[in-house]
Amino acid sequence: MHQKHKKTTLMLTLACILLAACDRESASSNEQASSPPASADIEGSLHLTGSNKGAALMSKIAKRFQALHPKVEIKIEMGGSPRGISDVRDGKADIAMVSRVLSDQEQDLKGFPIARDGIGMIVHRANPVTMLTSAQVSAIFTGRIKNWREVGGRNAPIVVIGREDGRSSIELFKEHFKLRYSEIQSKIILGADNPTVINAVAAQPDAISIMSVITAENQQQAGALIKIVDLDGVAVTRAGILTGNYPLSNPFSLATRGLPTGLRKTFIEYCLSAQVVDIIENMGFIPYQE
């Protein structure tokens, strides 16, 4: 078995072990927080805070969960991963939404990865450039490289189509390349949805932009005139993102203080199930459960 497949299997196995351990811990506890039955009779409330980019995903998953269990109330608030971690530790939230790996200082929390997000650079399908280095990408988006011939392409000015600040794709891009948003030199800034950006790149042979990998893949397979360029010689694939081998990717996890029980456990198990794979993919993430 390849190493990347082992990593994926390990993550899923750990999540299953932790959730299984919840049952054992709950059974031996004096608390009355046992897991509710998986039926429409489930009731209670959950409060999730944290990752801005994970909030939209969790809102859709929560809506489907509540359709199955109408007596459950779920409140979701943003504020970034640090807020989610702080709120769970302080008892202000039941579950933290975290868009990164838990640090060594956060091992008091139990993390359950449900998806990974990955972004890539998309260009027009006719662009001869198939790979860029991190240094080249940084130079292109900061305006230090202005012509495609400087990176092995044709003699044509590079048209950077930027994304609105605050979007999950830009946040991951800035973090990886250690850039401030003000340093990005865009010819056009599009805060609209992904199809608008894809159409803009498809209409401009010399354009480049940032895009969720799974969204770009789906549109490319549907016939859009775009392609994803490799980064630092690493092919941009679903498997590479899922294992973390592709650098422009991050896990999205749900974290709790101690092993989850009751409604928290039931909801996390639902988020790890095949019942939400379509939601995860439609939101531009790659599910661990496929």
Side-chain angles (χ1 to χ4, degrees):
M1 183 181 291
H2 294 300
Q3 185 175 1
K4 62 183 181 182
H5 292 153
K6 289 181 179 178
K7 291 179 181 177
T8 303
T9 303
L10 177 61
M11 294 288 272
L12 286 169
T13 302
L14 287 175
C16 293
I17 290 172
L18 284 172
L19 285 170
C22 297
D23 290 327
R24 295 194 298 271
E25 183 174 284
S26 179
S28 62
S29 174
N30 293 325
E31 297 179 1
Q32 297 179 351
S34 60
S35 299
S39 72
D41 293 333
I42 294 174
E43 58 183 293
S45 61
L46 288 174
H47 185 196
L48 285 69
T49 67
S51 166
N52 293 351
K53 59 186 174 184
L57 169 64
M58 294 313 303
S59 293
K60 290 186 178 294
I61 291 178
K63 184 177 180 180
R64 183 175 290 181
F65 185 83
Q66 288 174 294
L68 296 172
H69 309 293
K71 294 181 181 180
V72 174
E73 295 182 3
I74 301 177
K75 181 180 180 181
I76 296 174
E77 294 183 320
M78 297 185 292
S81 298
R83 178 195 169 178
I85 290 170
S86 176
D87 284 353
V88 163
R89 280 174 165 169
D90 295 341
K92 296 178 181 178
D94 300 296
I95 299 173
M97 303 177 291
V98 185
S99 291
R100 56 172 172 76
V101 176
L102 292 173
S103 70
D104 291 340
Q105 291 72 39
E106 295 163 349
Q107 295 307 304
D108 56 312
L109 303 180
K110 302 299 182 183
F112 301 90
I114 66 170
R116 291 192 77 94
D117 65 335
I119 63 169
M121 273 56 68
I122 61 169
V123 298
H124 194 278
R125 186 192 296 173
N127 192 321
V129 174
T130 59
M131 191 275 288
L132 292 169
T133 67
S134 289
Q136 288 171 334
V137 172
S138 180
I140 286 171
F141 279 82
T142 55
R144 289 178 285 117
I145 291 180
K146 299 180 182 296
N147 195 294
W148 281 111
R149 66 182 172 186
E150 297 179 66
V151 291
R154 54 178 168 261
N155 182 13
I158 298 174
V159 178
V160 175
I161 297 178
R163 307 302 300 269
E164 189 176 46
D165 197 16
R167 298 183 68 90
S168 60
S169 55
I170 275 290
E171 292 304 310
L172 180 53
F173 181 87
K174 290 189 301 182
E175 178 184 348
H176 178 77
F177 291 103
K178 305 295 187 293
L179 295 175
R180 297 186 301 273
Y181 186 73
S182 59
E183 295 179 280
I184 299 174
Q185 303 296 309
S186 305
K187 299 288 185 182
I188 309 167
I189 297 177
L190 294 177
D193 55 12
N194 287 328
T196 301
V197 177
I198 289 171
N199 290 338
V201 173
Q204 172 52 260
D206 303 315
I208 185 171
S209 192
I210 304 164
M211 176 66 56
S212 156
V213 168
I214 190 167
T215 300
E217 276 188 346
N218 291 340
Q219 291 297 312
Q220 188 174 353
Q221 291 170 5
L225 298 177
I226 62 166
K227 66 179 180 182
I228 310 170
V229 296
D230 295 342
L231 180 65
D232 293 327
V234 178
V236 187
T237 64
R238 290 170 63 95
I241 292 171
L242 193 58
T243 59
N245 290 335
Y246 176 65
L248 272 173
S249 65
N250 262 334
F252 173 68
S253 302
L254 300 179
T256 58
R257 185 177 60 176
L259 292 170
T261 58
L263 183 56
R264 291 186 305 160
K265 177 176 178 289
T266 300
F267 180 69
I268 291 173
E269 286 178 333
Y270 182 75
C271 294
L272 285 165
S273 76
Q275 298 178 69
V276 299
V277 164
D278 61 320
I279 296 177
I280 292 172
E281 290 188 334
N282 287 338
M283 293 299 293
F285 290 84
I286 296 177
Y288 278 101
Q289 172 68 48
E290 292 193 286

PDB file of all heavy atoms in Angstrom, residues 111-142:
ATOM      1  N   GLY A 111      -9.786  15.915  17.953  1.00  0.00           N
ATOM      2  CA  GLY A 111     -10.126  16.392  16.615  1.00  0.00           C
ATOM      3  C   GLY A 111     -10.599  15.272  15.714  1.00  0.00           C
ATOM      4  O   GLY A 111     -10.032  14.174  15.727  1.00  0.00           O
ATOM      5  N   PHE A 112     -11.633  15.549  14.924  1.00  0.00           N
ATOM      6  CA  PHE A 112     -12.186  14.571  13.999  1.00  0.00           C
ATOM      7  C   PHE A 112     -12.197  15.175  12.595  1.00  0.00           C
ATOM      8  O   PHE A 112     -13.074  15.974  12.262  1.00  0.00           O
ATOM      9  CB  PHE A 112     -13.608  14.178  14.426  1.00  0.00           C
ATOM     10  CG  PHE A 112     -13.669  13.584  15.801  1.00  0.00           C
ATOM     11  CD1 PHE A 112     -13.852  14.387  16.914  1.00  0.00           C
ATOM     12  CD2 PHE A 112     -13.495  12.222  15.986  1.00  0.00           C
ATOM     13  CE1 PHE A 112     -13.888  13.843  18.183  1.00  0.00           C
ATOM     14  CE2 PHE A 112     -13.525  11.664  17.261  1.00  0.00           C
ATOM     15  CZ  PHE A 112     -13.723  12.485  18.360  1.00  0.00           C
ATOM     16  N   PRO A 113     -11.200  14.843  11.761  1.00  0.00           N
ATOM     17  CA  PRO A 113     -11.133  15.412  10.408  1.00  0.00           C
ATOM     18  C   PRO A 113     -12.249  14.857   9.536  1.00  0.00           C
ATOM     19  O   PRO A 113     -12.414  13.641   9.431  1.00  0.00           O
ATOM     20  CB  PRO A 113      -9.759  14.974   9.902  1.00  0.00           C
ATOM     21  CG  PRO A 113      -9.442  13.736  10.680  1.00  0.00           C
ATOM     22  CD  PRO A 113     -10.079  13.908  12.025  1.00  0.00           C
ATOM     23  N   ILE A 114     -13.021  15.759   8.937  1.00  0.00           N
ATOM     24  CA  ILE A 114     -14.106  15.301   8.056  1.00  0.00           C
ATOM     25  C   ILE A 114     -13.817  15.609   6.592  1.00  0.00           C
ATOM     26  O   ILE A 114     -14.452  15.035   5.702  1.00  0.00           O
ATOM     27  CB  ILE A 114     -15.463  15.905   8.463  1.00  0.00           C
ATOM     28  CG1 ILE A 114     -15.489  17.418   8.253  1.00  0.00           C
ATOM     29  CG2 ILE A 114     -15.804  15.558   9.907  1.00  0.00           C
ATOM     30  CD1 ILE A 114     -16.872  18.019   8.411  1.00  0.00           C
ATOM     31  N   ALA A 115     -12.878  16.514   6.335  1.00  0.00           N
ATOM     32  CA  ALA A 115     -12.611  16.881   4.941  1.00  0.00           C
ATOM     33  C   ALA A 115     -11.281  17.607   4.850  1.00  0.00           C
ATOM     34  O   ALA A 115     -10.700  18.007   5.861  1.00  0.00           O
ATOM     35  CB  ALA A 115     -13.730  17.776   4.405  1.00  0.00           C
ATOM     36  N   ARG A 116     -10.818  17.760   3.630  1.00  0.00           N
ATOM     37  CA  ARG A 116      -9.675  18.634   3.360  1.00  0.00           C
ATOM     38  C   ARG A 116     -10.084  19.593   2.259  1.00  0.00           C
ATOM     39  O   ARG A 116     -10.903  19.252   1.407  1.00  0.00           O
ATOM     40  CB  ARG A 116      -8.444  17.844   2.897  1.00  0.00           C
ATOM     41  CG  ARG A 116      -7.817  16.980   3.948  1.00  0.00           C
ATOM     42  CD  ARG A 116      -6.461  16.468   3.511  1.00  0.00           C
ATOM     43  NE  ARG A 116      -5.446  17.503   3.630  1.00  0.00           N
ATOM     44  CZ  ARG A 116      -4.656  17.666   4.700  1.00  0.00           C
ATOM     45  NH1 ARG A 116      -4.769  16.866   5.725  1.00  0.00           N
ATOM     46  NH2 ARG A 116      -3.759  18.619   4.742  1.00  0.00           N
ATOM     47  N   ASP A 117      -9.528  20.771   2.322  1.00  0.00           N
ATOM     48  CA  ASP A 117      -9.724  21.693   1.212  1.00  0.00           C
ATOM     49  C   ASP A 117      -8.380  21.937   0.546  1.00  0.00           C
ATOM     50  O   ASP A 117      -7.335  21.902   1.183  1.00  0.00           O
ATOM     51  CB  ASP A 117     -10.364  23.011   1.665  1.00  0.00           C
ATOM     52  CG  ASP A 117      -9.462  23.817   2.592  1.00  0.00           C
ATOM     53  OD1 ASP A 117      -8.611  23.209   3.255  1.00  0.00           O
ATOM     54  OD2 ASP A 117      -9.615  25.043   2.655  1.00  0.00           O
ATOM     55  N   GLY A 118      -8.413  22.104  -0.758  1.00  0.00           N
ATOM     56  CA  GLY A 118      -7.192  22.358  -1.509  1.00  0.00           C
ATOM     57  C   GLY A 118      -7.467  23.362  -2.600  1.00  0.00           C
ATOM     58  O   GLY A 118      -8.555  23.378  -3.178  1.00  0.00           O
ATOM     59  N   ILE A 119      -6.524  24.227  -2.837  1.00  0.00           N
ATOM     60  CA  ILE A 119      -6.673  25.199  -3.913  1.00  0.00           C
ATOM     61  C   ILE A 119      -5.533  25.040  -4.912  1.00  0.00           C
ATOM     62  O   ILE A 119      -4.463  24.522  -4.576  1.00  0.00           O
ATOM     63  CB  ILE A 119      -6.703  26.654  -3.401  1.00  0.00           C
ATOM     64  CG1 ILE A 119      -5.376  27.015  -2.716  1.00  0.00           C
ATOM     65  CG2 ILE A 119      -7.874  26.875  -2.471  1.00  0.00           C
ATOM     66  CD1 ILE A 119      -5.233  28.502  -2.436  1.00  0.00           C
ATOM     67  N   GLY A 120      -5.797  25.442  -6.123  1.00  0.00           N
ATOM     68  CA  GLY A 120      -4.784  25.378  -7.164  1.00  0.00           C
ATOM     69  C   GLY A 120      -4.843  26.606  -8.044  1.00  0.00           C
ATOM     70  O   GLY A 120      -5.779  27.408  -7.962  1.00  0.00           O
ATOM     71  N   MET A 121      -3.836  26.777  -8.852  1.00  0.00           N
ATOM     72  CA  MET A 121      -3.804  27.870  -9.822  1.00  0.00           C
ATOM     73  C   MET A 121      -4.390  27.363 -11.139  1.00  0.00           C
ATOM     74  O   MET A 121      -3.941  26.341 -11.667  1.00  0.00           O
ATOM     75  CB  MET A 121      -2.370  28.361 -10.031  1.00  0.00           C
ATOM     76  CG  MET A 121      -1.922  29.427  -9.042  1.00  0.00           C
ATOM     77  SD  MET A 121      -2.064  28.935  -7.316  1.00  0.00           S
ATOM     78  CE  MET A 121      -0.819  27.657  -7.210  1.00  0.00           C
ATOM     79  N   ILE A 122      -5.395  28.070 -11.627  1.00  0.00           N
ATOM     80  CA  ILE A 122      -5.989  27.680 -12.899  1.00  0.00           C
ATOM     81  C   ILE A 122      -5.592  28.682 -13.975  1.00  0.00           C
ATOM     82  O   ILE A 122      -5.470  29.881 -13.723  1.00  0.00           O
ATOM     83  CB  ILE A 122      -7.528  27.568 -12.817  1.00  0.00           C
ATOM     84  CG1 ILE A 122      -8.180  28.915 -12.450  1.00  0.00           C
ATOM     85  CG2 ILE A 122      -7.926  26.496 -11.818  1.00  0.00           C
ATOM     86  CD1 ILE A 122      -9.698  28.911 -12.614  1.00  0.00           C
ATOM     87  N   VAL A 123      -5.395  28.155 -15.169  1.00  0.00           N
ATOM     88  CA  VAL A 123      -5.064  28.972 -16.336  1.00  0.00           C
ATOM     89  C   VAL A 123      -5.937  28.500 -17.489  1.00  0.00           C
ATOM     90  O   VAL A 123      -6.653  27.495 -17.383  1.00  0.00           O
ATOM     91  CB  VAL A 123      -3.566  28.846 -16.712  1.00  0.00           C
ATOM     92  CG1 VAL A 123      -2.682  29.345 -15.577  1.00  0.00           C
ATOM     93  CG2 VAL A 123      -3.216  27.409 -17.083  1.00  0.00           C
ATOM     94  N   HIS A 124      -5.862  29.208 -18.605  1.00  0.00           N
ATOM     95  CA  HIS A 124      -6.606  28.798 -19.793  1.00  0.00           C
ATOM     96  C   HIS A 124      -6.050  27.473 -20.310  1.00  0.00           C
ATOM     97  O   HIS A 124      -4.846  27.203 -20.210  1.00  0.00           O
ATOM     98  CB  HIS A 124      -6.486  29.877 -20.880  1.00  0.00           C
ATOM     99  CG  HIS A 124      -7.464  29.714 -21.992  1.00  0.00           C
ATOM    100  ND1 HIS A 124      -7.258  28.838 -23.041  1.00  0.00           N
ATOM    101  CD2 HIS A 124      -8.659  30.318 -22.228  1.00  0.00           C
ATOM    102  CE1 HIS A 124      -8.276  28.908 -23.873  1.00  0.00           C
ATOM    103  NE2 HIS A 124      -9.143  29.791 -23.407  1.00  0.00           N
ATOM    104  N   ARG A 125      -6.919  26.650 -20.837  1.00  0.00           N
ATOM    105  CA  ARG A 125      -6.500  25.333 -21.328  1.00  0.00           C
ATOM    106  C   ARG A 125      -5.414  25.442 -22.398  1.00  0.00           C
ATOM    107  O   ARG A 125      -4.541  24.561 -22.513  1.00  0.00           O
ATOM    108  CB  ARG A 125      -7.701  24.584 -21.902  1.00  0.00           C
ATOM    109  CG  ARG A 125      -7.375  23.147 -22.310  1.00  0.00           C
ATOM    110  CD  ARG A 125      -8.498  22.533 -23.133  1.00  0.00           C
ATOM    111  NE  ARG A 125      -9.728  22.404 -22.384  1.00  0.00           N
ATOM    112  CZ  ARG A 125     -10.888  22.022 -22.914  1.00  0.00           C
ATOM    113  NH1 ARG A 125     -10.962  21.757 -24.209  1.00  0.00           N
ATOM    114  NH2 ARG A 125     -11.970  21.914 -22.162  1.00  0.00           N
ATOM    115  N   ALA A 126      -5.409  26.510 -23.186  1.00  0.00           N
ATOM    116  CA  ALA A 126      -4.433  26.663 -24.264  1.00  0.00           C
ATOM    117  C   ALA A 126      -3.074  27.165 -23.768  1.00  0.00           C
ATOM    118  O   ALA A 126      -2.115  27.215 -24.541  1.00  0.00           O
ATOM    119  CB  ALA A 126      -4.976  27.618 -25.325  1.00  0.00           C
ATOM    120  N   ASN A 127      -2.969  27.532 -22.527  1.00  0.00           N
ATOM    121  CA  ASN A 127      -1.707  28.019 -21.974  1.00  0.00           C
ATOM    122  C   ASN A 127      -0.709  26.865 -21.930  1.00  0.00           C
ATOM    123  O   ASN A 127      -0.998  25.810 -21.346  1.00  0.00           O
ATOM    124  CB  ASN A 127      -1.933  28.574 -20.571  1.00  0.00           C
ATOM    125  CG  ASN A 127      -0.747  29.368 -20.048  1.00  0.00           C
ATOM    126  OD1 ASN A 127       0.398  29.010 -20.273  1.00  0.00           O
ATOM    127  ND2 ASN A 127      -1.029  30.446 -19.338  1.00  0.00           N
ATOM    128  N   PRO A 128       0.475  27.011 -22.525  1.00  0.00           N
ATOM    129  CA  PRO A 128       1.445  25.908 -22.549  1.00  0.00           C
ATOM    130  C   PRO A 128       2.091  25.615 -21.201  1.00  0.00           C
ATOM    131  O   PRO A 128       2.716  24.566 -21.032  1.00  0.00           O
ATOM    132  CB  PRO A 128       2.500  26.380 -23.569  1.00  0.00           C
ATOM    133  CG  PRO A 128       2.385  27.865 -23.567  1.00  0.00           C
ATOM    134  CD  PRO A 128       0.941  28.176 -23.313  1.00  0.00           C
ATOM    135  N   VAL A 129       1.957  26.498 -20.235  1.00  0.00           N
ATOM    136  CA  VAL A 129       2.555  26.283 -18.910  1.00  0.00           C
ATOM    137  C   VAL A 129       1.770  25.200 -18.165  1.00  0.00           C
ATOM    138  O   VAL A 129       0.542  25.272 -18.048  1.00  0.00           O
ATOM    139  CB  VAL A 129       2.562  27.582 -18.086  1.00  0.00           C
ATOM    140  CG1 VAL A 129       3.042  27.319 -16.664  1.00  0.00           C
ATOM    141  CG2 VAL A 129       3.454  28.623 -18.755  1.00  0.00           C
ATOM    142  N   THR A 130       2.473  24.202 -17.682  1.00  0.00           N
ATOM    143  CA  THR A 130       1.824  23.093 -16.963  1.00  0.00           C
ATOM    144  C   THR A 130       2.266  23.000 -15.505  1.00  0.00           C
ATOM    145  O   THR A 130       1.635  22.288 -14.715  1.00  0.00           O
ATOM    146  CB  THR A 130       2.130  21.757 -17.643  1.00  0.00           C
ATOM    147  OG1 THR A 130       3.553  21.559 -17.667  1.00  0.00           O
ATOM    148  CG2 THR A 130       1.585  21.737 -19.065  1.00  0.00           C
ATOM    149  N   MET A 131       3.358  23.710 -15.155  1.00  0.00           N
ATOM    150  CA  MET A 131       3.852  23.643 -13.791  1.00  0.00           C
ATOM    151  C   MET A 131       4.475  24.970 -13.402  1.00  0.00           C
ATOM    152  O   MET A 131       5.120  25.629 -14.216  1.00  0.00           O
ATOM    153  CB  MET A 131       4.887  22.518 -13.652  1.00  0.00           C
ATOM    154  CG  MET A 131       5.283  22.181 -12.209  1.00  0.00           C
ATOM    155  SD  MET A 131       6.609  23.213 -11.502  1.00  0.00           S
ATOM    156  CE  MET A 131       8.036  22.593 -12.412  1.00  0.00           C
ATOM    157  N   LEU A 132       4.262  25.363 -12.150  1.00  0.00           N
ATOM    158  CA  LEU A 132       4.887  26.558 -11.600  1.00  0.00           C
ATOM    159  C   LEU A 132       5.515  26.199 -10.257  1.00  0.00           C
ATOM    160  O   LEU A 132       5.027  25.315  -9.548  1.00  0.00           O
ATOM    161  CB  LEU A 132       3.861  27.671 -11.394  1.00  0.00           C
ATOM    162  CG  LEU A 132       3.244  28.297 -12.646  1.00  0.00           C
ATOM    163  CD1 LEU A 132       2.052  29.174 -12.265  1.00  0.00           C
ATOM    164  CD2 LEU A 132       4.280  29.112 -13.427  1.00  0.00           C
ATOM    165  N   THR A 133       6.594  26.893  -9.903  1.00  0.00           N
ATOM    166  CA  THR A 133       7.172  26.730  -8.578  1.00  0.00           C
ATOM    167  C   THR A 133       6.501  27.711  -7.628  1.00  0.00           C
ATOM    168  O   THR A 133       5.871  28.688  -8.054  1.00  0.00           O
ATOM    169  CB  THR A 133       8.680  26.997  -8.597  1.00  0.00           C
ATOM    170  OG1 THR A 133       8.904  28.391  -8.896  1.00  0.00           O
ATOM    171  CG2 THR A 133       9.384  26.139  -9.637  1.00  0.00           C
ATOM    172  N   SER A 134       6.657  27.480  -6.349  1.00  0.00           N
ATOM    173  CA  SER A 134       6.095  28.406  -5.365  1.00  0.00           C
ATOM    174  C   SER A 134       6.679  29.801  -5.534  1.00  0.00           C
ATOM    175  O   SER A 134       5.964  30.800  -5.401  1.00  0.00           O
ATOM    176  CB  SER A 134       6.357  27.887  -3.944  1.00  0.00           C
ATOM    177  OG  SER A 134       5.571  26.759  -3.664  1.00  0.00           O
ATOM    178  N   ALA A 135       7.964  29.862  -5.833  1.00  0.00           N
ATOM    179  CA  ALA A 135       8.602  31.168  -6.032  1.00  0.00           C
ATOM    180  C   ALA A 135       7.995  31.882  -7.231  1.00  0.00           C
ATOM    181  O   ALA A 135       7.780  33.103  -7.195  1.00  0.00           O
ATOM    182  CB  ALA A 135      10.112  30.986  -6.226  1.00  0.00           C
ATOM    183  N   GLN A 136       7.707  31.147  -8.294  1.00  0.00           N
ATOM    184  CA  GLN A 136       7.102  31.754  -9.480  1.00  0.00           C
ATOM    185  C   GLN A 136       5.678  32.231  -9.194  1.00  0.00           C
ATOM    186  O   GLN A 136       5.285  33.318  -9.623  1.00  0.00           O
ATOM    187  CB  GLN A 136       7.107  30.757 -10.633  1.00  0.00           C
ATOM    188  CG  GLN A 136       8.485  30.494 -11.222  1.00  0.00           C
ATOM    189  CD  GLN A 136       8.487  29.347 -12.216  1.00  0.00           C
ATOM    190  OE1 GLN A 136       7.653  28.435 -12.154  1.00  0.00           O
ATOM    191  NE2 GLN A 136       9.433  29.373 -13.155  1.00  0.00           N
ATOM    192  N   VAL A 137       4.908  31.423  -8.488  1.00  0.00           N
ATOM    193  CA  VAL A 137       3.539  31.818  -8.150  1.00  0.00           C
ATOM    194  C   VAL A 137       3.544  33.099  -7.316  1.00  0.00           C
ATOM    195  O   VAL A 137       2.792  34.043  -7.578  1.00  0.00           O
ATOM    196  CB  VAL A 137       2.812  30.692  -7.388  1.00  0.00           C
ATOM    197  CG1 VAL A 137       1.457  31.178  -6.858  1.00  0.00           C
ATOM    198  CG2 VAL A 137       2.606  29.484  -8.291  1.00  0.00           C
ATOM    199  N   SER A 138       4.401  33.141  -6.318  1.00  0.00           N
ATOM    200  CA  SER A 138       4.498  34.332  -5.473  1.00  0.00           C
ATOM    201  C   SER A 138       4.879  35.557  -6.300  1.00  0.00           C
ATOM    202  O   SER A 138       4.304  36.642  -6.141  1.00  0.00           O
ATOM    203  CB  SER A 138       5.536  34.093  -4.372  1.00  0.00           C
ATOM    204  OG  SER A 138       5.663  35.230  -3.540  1.00  0.00           O
ATOM    205  N   ALA A 139       5.842  35.376  -7.223  1.00  0.00           N
ATOM    206  CA  ALA A 139       6.284  36.492  -8.056  1.00  0.00           C
ATOM    207  C   ALA A 139       5.198  36.939  -9.028  1.00  0.00           C
ATOM    208  O   ALA A 139       5.043  38.132  -9.305  1.00  0.00           O
ATOM    209  CB  ALA A 139       7.548  36.102  -8.815  1.00  0.00           C
ATOM    210  N   ILE A 140       4.417  36.000  -9.546  1.00  0.00           N
ATOM    211  CA  ILE A 140       3.328  36.347 -10.471  1.00  0.00           C
ATOM    212  C   ILE A 140       2.257  37.151  -9.745  1.00  0.00           C
ATOM    213  O   ILE A 140       1.802  38.193 -10.223  1.00  0.00           O
ATOM    214  CB  ILE A 140       2.721  35.065 -11.084  1.00  0.00           C
ATOM    215  CG1 ILE A 140       3.676  34.477 -12.126  1.00  0.00           C
ATOM    216  CG2 ILE A 140       1.366  35.367 -11.735  1.00  0.00           C
ATOM    217  CD1 ILE A 140       3.257  33.103 -12.629  1.00  0.00           C
ATOM    218  N   PHE A 141       1.846  36.685  -8.578  1.00  0.00           N
ATOM    219  CA  PHE A 141       0.743  37.334  -7.872  1.00  0.00           C
ATOM    220  C   PHE A 141       1.157  38.632  -7.184  1.00  0.00           C
ATOM    221  O   PHE A 141       0.292  39.424  -6.803  1.00  0.00           O
ATOM    222  CB  PHE A 141       0.102  36.365  -6.882  1.00  0.00           C
ATOM    223  CG  PHE A 141      -0.879  35.424  -7.524  1.00  0.00           C
ATOM    224  CD1 PHE A 141      -0.439  34.279  -8.170  1.00  0.00           C
ATOM    225  CD2 PHE A 141      -2.240  35.690  -7.507  1.00  0.00           C
ATOM    226  CE1 PHE A 141      -1.331  33.409  -8.786  1.00  0.00           C
ATOM    227  CE2 PHE A 141      -3.139  34.839  -8.121  1.00  0.00           C
ATOM    228  CZ  PHE A 141      -2.696  33.694  -8.767  1.00  0.00           C
ATOM    229  N   THR A 142       2.452  38.858  -7.032  1.00  0.00           N
ATOM    230  CA  THR A 142       2.904  40.137  -6.473  1.00  0.00           C
ATOM    231  C   THR A 142       3.417  41.079  -7.556  1.00  0.00           C
ATOM    232  O   THR A 142       3.913  42.157  -7.248  1.00  0.00           O
ATOM    233  CB  THR A 142       4.010  39.908  -5.420  1.00  0.00           C
ATOM    234  OG1 THR A 142       5.081  39.148  -5.992  1.00  0.00           O
ATOM    235  CG2 THR A 142       3.460  39.176  -4.212  1.00  0.00           C
TER     236      THR A 142
END
